[in-house]
Amino acid sequence: MSNSILDDGGDFQTRKVGPDQYEMHIPIPTNDGLVGRECPNAECSPGYFKVKLGTGLTEGQVLAYCPYCRQEGEPNDFTTQAQIDYALSVLKNEVVKGIDKSFQKALGLGSSHKKTYGSGMFKMEMTYKSSKPDYVPRPLEEELRRDIICPNCGLEHAVFGLATWCPDCGKDIFMCHVETEFGVIQKVLSVVDKRREELGARVAGRDIENGLEDVVSVFEAVLKIITIKHLANNGMSHDEISKRLEKIRNSYQNINSAGETFHAQTGLDLFHNTSQDEVETLRTIFEKRHPLTHNLGVVDKKYLERVRTGDTEGREIRVTAQEVEIAIGISKKIISSVYNLCT
Ligand SMILES: [Zn+2]
Ligand SMILES: [Zn+2]
């Protein structure tokens, strides 16, 4: 009788490689061909990303990188806990099935799982009830993600926040991530006319307002990241950087205070490559956001003091899709020139 618990072959290409050692290949299920990866550095946040196997470096990859913190390691070091748990539960089920089979064989039970001894008055029936394999949950993965293709090595991957590094070639692709962030807003803007036709002017108007809000959020988040990078490159400690960030608060949401704060933190001119006209245009468009967000689009006195656009108090402010597009263009210009300066 074979003393093997697991048969050779099968779904997982099982192979006995030693007296009590087996090799199995357990594929990780994916919805879209992208496999989840986790940064081995426990302090990295969000630390989770996905890569499409067969893209990027397909041969002889020795090292892989975390897109957020650039921690390097062997590709296997990036296996997620959910994947390890999944593989272990698949393995447990295979072992339980193997043990069941060995028991039935040893007891001489047929496919009915029953055996009857004797007949007439003395009859004994033996039944073997096998344990049910566990339900194997699929590794849970977040739906909200940013898909990106590395312009250097072609790796198709997805991240869950603004990242910097390509997981395969380790190159700095931060600006590519920034482009993708703005690209999402541009996609929303590109269907505004259709939304107006189908759902009315107010819905289309809200899409544009939300688009402007998102441009300001991306601008702010990216400037914070650039400031952190600059301070870290200059040897500032993690704690000291956190204190500086507290001081920055939301000053990157406003163009005037953004310039002042960026200079105070880095000693650099945020608008060194941008014309005065462009800075002024961006400031005016960004300023529209405040009354839009806090006053349901009705101009208040505070707004009129800051921008002299000719809008009358109490009249609804209009922000157009074209203005949001212009804000994206100028924001990208400012960000890319300052990123080159800081890194
Ligand atoms: Zn990391
Ligand atoms: Zn790459």
Side-chain angles (χ1 to χ4, degrees):
M1 184 185 130
S2 156
N3 63 350
S4 277
I5 289 175
L6 301 173
D7 291 337
D8 274 1
D11 291 346
F12 305 114
Q13 301 161 43
T14 308
R15 206 161 63 92
K16 195 167 185 182
V17 291
D20 50 9
Q21 269 185 320
Y22 296 88
E23 187 184 86
M24 275 171 90
H25 295 264
I26 301 170
I28 301 297
T30 61
N31 295 328
D32 49 12
L34 275 88
V35 173
R37 308 268 76 190
E38 207 165 80
C39 177
N41 173 6
E43 284 177 19
C44 176
S45 173
Y48 179 75
F49 57 103
K50 293 171 102 176
V51 296
K52 187 165 195 171
L53 302 178
T55 66
L57 305 180
T58 48
E59 269 172 41
Q61 189 188 10
V62 183
L63 286 176
Y65 304 86
C66 169
Y68 310 104
C69 72
R70 210 176 186 273
Q71 164 93 31
E72 50 177 60
E74 286 178 25
N76 274 344
D77 295 344
F78 290 83
T79 306
T80 71
Q81 192 53 48
Q83 288 163 355
I84 294 169
D85 292 347
Y86 173 78
L88 285 175
S89 31
V90 169
L91 176 66
K92 194 179 135 201
N93 278 349
E94 287 302 296
V95 171
V96 167
K97 274 195 249 165
I99 290 173
D100 272 351
K101 236 164 79 185
S102 301
F103 259 115
Q104 287 172 33
K105 214 168 168 185
L107 296 169
L109 306 177
S111 56
S112 66
H113 299 182
K114 278 182 189 170
K115 188 163 186 173
T116 309
Y117 297 94
S119 59
M121 278 176 74
F122 300 100
K123 196 168 110 179
M124 188 174 85
E125 195 177 83
M126 199 160 102
T127 310
Y128 177 72
K129 230 178 153 188
S130 64
S131 56
K132 251 192 181 163
D134 280 351
Y135 164 70
V136 180
R138 288 182 165 226
L140 270 181
E141 282 163 0
E142 280 184 68
E143 292 302 316
L144 189 70
R145 65 177 211 207
R146 288 119 159 129
D147 289 333
I148 202 149
I149 299 173
C150 171
N152 298 305
C153 72
L155 178 75
E156 290 178 40
H157 60 293
V159 292
F160 299 83
L162 265 173
T164 303
W165 314 100
C166 168
D168 260 21
C169 68
K171 291 252 169 72
D172 183 337
I173 54 167
F174 182 72
M175 280 314 297
C176 205
H177 284 280
V178 172
E179 290 270 351
T180 309
E181 283 302 297
F182 283 124
V184 173
I185 306 169
Q186 285 171 312
K187 265 189 198 158
V188 174
L189 294 176
S190 71
V191 291
V192 157
D193 287 340
K194 208 171 147 217
R195 296 264 289 174
R196 188 177 290 112
E197 271 171 37
E198 286 173 5
L199 301 165
R202 188 65 198 132
V203 171
R206 285 310 287 250
D207 284 348
I208 298 170
E209 290 167 14
N210 291 337
L212 176 57
E213 185 71 26
D214 291 344
V215 174
V216 177
S217 298
V218 173
F219 185 79
E220 181 190 23
V222 169
L223 282 191
K224 275 189 180 169
I225 292 172
I226 295 176
T227 306
I228 294 169
K229 272 178 195 284
H230 180 80
L231 298 177
N233 286 348
N234 282 282
M236 193 176 277
S237 73
H238 189 267
D239 285 351
E240 189 61 33
I241 293 175
S242 300
K243 277 185 205 154
R244 291 278 194 110
L245 279 181
E246 276 172 31
K247 279 188 197 156
I248 293 174
R249 289 166 175 255
N250 56 5
S251 57
Y252 285 156
Q253 291 181 3
N254 168 297
I255 291 305
N256 282 352
S257 57
E260 286 162 19
T261 305
F262 192 76
H263 188 261
Q265 296 299 331
T266 63
L268 301 168
D269 178 8
L270 183 59
F271 310 118
H272 76 104
N273 200 27
T274 319
S275 74
Q276 195 52 46
D277 273 0
E278 286 172 317
V279 174
E280 190 54 29
T281 304
L282 189 63
R283 186 181 73 83
T284 312
I285 300 172
F286 269 27
E287 294 277 306
K288 286 200 170 191
R289 180 189 141 264
H290 204 71
L292 288 175
T293 315
H294 300 293
N295 202 18
L296 277 176
V298 179
V299 181
D300 62 10
K301 263 194 176 145
K302 215 168 143 196
Y303 172 77
L304 286 176
E305 281 163 18
R306 286 206 306 262
V307 275
R308 287 166 180 70
T309 57
D311 283 307
T312 323
E313 189 174 352
R315 218 181 81 190
E316 203 155 329
I317 305 175
R318 281 182 56 116
V319 58
T320 62
Q322 199 195 0
E323 280 177 313
V324 181
E325 281 282 358
I326 291 169
I328 290 174
I330 302 173
S331 298
K332 276 204 279 198
K333 189 176 172 185
I334 293 172
I335 290 166
S336 68
S337 67
V338 93
Y339 189 70
N340 289 336
L341 213 64
C342 283
T343 52

